Amino acid sequence: MVGREIHTYNITWATAGEILQDFHWSTLLLALAATAIGYLVLATYDLLAIYHLGYKIPWHKTLMVSFLGFAVSNNAGHALVTGGAIRFRYYSALGLNAASIGKIIVFSSSTYLLGAVTLLCAAYFFLPQDELNHPELLGGHLAWFIWGILALLIIYWSLILSGRHRLQWKKINISLPPPRITALQTVAGICDLLFAGVVLYCLLYPATQMHFMWFFTVYILAQLIGLFSQVPGGIGIFESAFLLLVGDAHDHQIILIALLTYRLMYFLLPLLIALAIFAITQHQSLREHWQRIPGVIRMQNIVAATSIFLHRRLPVFLSLLALLAGGILLLSGSTPGMPERLATLTDIINLPLIELSHLLGSVIGVFLLILARAILLRINTAYPLTLFFLAAGVVFSITKGLDYEEAVFLSLLLILFIPCKSYFYRKSTLDTHLLTPKWILLIVAIIGLSTLIGFITYQEVDYAHELWWQFELDANASRFLRATLLISVIACGALLHYFLSRGQYKPHLPTHEELREAETIIQAQKNTEHYISLSGDKYLFWGEARDCFIAYITTTKYWIALNDPCGNSASFKELVKEFRSHADLHGAKPVFYRITTEHLPLYVDLGLNLIKLGEEAHVDLSNFALKGNAWASFRSTINKIIKEGFTFRIIRAADIEPHLPALKQVSDQWLDHKKSREKGFSLGFFDENYLRFFDVAVVSKEDQIVAFANLLHTNLPNEISIDLMRYSDQAPKGAMDYLLSNIMLWAKEEQYYKFNLGMAPLAGLDDDELAPFWHRLGSSIFRMGNEFYDFKGLHHYKEKFHPQWNPVYLALPRGGHLAPVIFTITNAISGGISGSFSK
């Protein structure tokens, strides 16, 4: 360059290391915080464009794409091409065409230019006149250059404010945004450049004491020179322009090291983060290219397993980070602020705002502790709330004491959360069932620890009532007391609300209309075990299309489903997954009781453990006949009952109403005779509404009903079974054999294939030394447990009908859940603990 001395700098790694060591760690952290906030503002360029153009793109995806585009284009240069390529890859996958993506790119570029030229013009009114005419700045013609830029800016705004939103030159149409959008563009561009400039200014100021407006004017000019040079990232051009414009007023070696540090921090670090996000979001496409590379196939299984593991564990990791963030905010509120930072802060904001920020920062810490549980459960409302509280935490960390270390951590956590919206898919509210006793204990422990640290920190401060009302810059102990009181009130209020409203989750029992809807689905099945769902004492968990359901009960620890799902089998997989998710949402674990071999893979895929409960007896009706020596005793009993004048008949469900009082009398006498009470859950009980669903087989004499059984059969002539089978004091001996035999003969005539006699608990369990412990225990109870229940006698009675035995299972969580699950199910069936130990 003519007329200027060319400087050479002897900068070695040792020199750079020495100067880098001169950067205080707080300076580097403040520069990092400005970088994080700056890129967050920069990412709003595309968000503003999407809003203005009316495209339906989720905001969190727009922020991510914008960040990726700018992180790459800032380093690679040729922003319209490099950033445009990134945007085209993502936005095209989201349904935008090339023309729409081009509009977004042009809009974002114009946002940057509006902010840059506006700031440059503003410098004219803040810089002293002699600085504007400094010969180092454009040869002393900076003022004229700014006036030219200002004239163009005035013309542009005149067009905007005139209402002419479309310009035409030959065949080219140019659309202009409305004034409100243009104003937002200007604000976004200014904020972006301010934060980007602050990054470099933080690195320069300690050594140069450079005036901010002077620095900023030089910075914007250097930025524009680097931008229009089209050199990748403006590397070398920006630095040279900055050094040239600064002139010899400051040490160029120090400035150059600051510029290199700025490039590493504001350019390279975001690029590395962007590459990591790109690899995560584009893993499928990258995997296809990766698989084409020789030698990679051997690593595919390892990479896939690692990816799946990280994908599944990400909510756990995010939950831990939210806990950590909440703990940091609470700890920061319990310890004193740094005096020099507070003094600097009072030059910017007043003391009441500092006091309020200190209180709200601690409150946000408590809320993040609670939200960490919702994050772990993947509740959809946790996502926007977490983003809001993290963003608020960033602001209050700065305004309560310039705690930029916290602000940097919270900003990074906020950036990490933004692309994770897809993980929060469970539709639920943040109610009292969100927390569990263990999680409450964890929250109390974290609050208690931060409070203890605070009391230890201020142990030399003598307590006085005046401390509560002391509002001074150095009154850290007073701020701690007020924050502790506030978070204690919030925490105690939340705990009181939890304990007063706590209890097992109880959804609404099905209405009569729901039971009729379930009956329609049951009647289309080939098996009959689902009729017990109509008893009215169990909840119904419906599939999204309401073409299938699960009957279940709830306790504090378990949601226990009865039988396999009922309905459209194609929907079963999603149904059981949703059932598990809802149980987990309320702090319970899923259990499936009395399931068959047909759908066992469903429960294995859920990670549940399978335990054999016993065997179910199915009688082949095609071969059933009371002939031969094996049925001699049955024939004798039946003939004797017939001679005594007893008859068998079927009462249809439509005709059952007038017979209900007689059936109730038989049932009451049976309960008195057995010295028992009604059971529940997997066993039917006498209820008139329940019986109205069924045909009933009765034994009667002279129109007096002495025994009955309700018949469970579907519209498909496949299986038939019974639920209630009861007899009165007037019933003849052998009435049950007579009733069962006639039901089977009637079902055979009606073309049913099999008769389900129900389950024989603990039957068919191995008892050898190598058998599982549960099998050996169950087998021993089966042989010797007659004191509580005649397991062996029940099996022996059903064996008289020569059935085929099919295994029945229990699916439960892994670990030590078997004993409490069996105890819970037994209580549910018997109606309480006392009923569990009676026959």
Side-chain angles (χ1 to χ4, degrees), residues 594-628:
R594 212 170 67 178
I595 58 177
T596 62
T597 56
E598 183 178 2
H599 299 294
L600 288 186
L602 287 175
Y603 314 110
V604 174
D605 290 344
L606 290 182
L608 300 178
N609 197 22
L610 299 176
I611 298 293
K612 186 176 180 180
L613 288 174
E615 294 181 327
E616 198 170 61
H618 293 167
V619 179
D620 184 1
L621 294 179
S622 62
N623 297 323
F624 181 76
L626 299 179
K627 298 178 181 179

Side-chain angles (χ1 to χ4, degrees), residues 47 145 311 655:
L47 194 65
F145 176 77
H311 177 78
D655 304 322

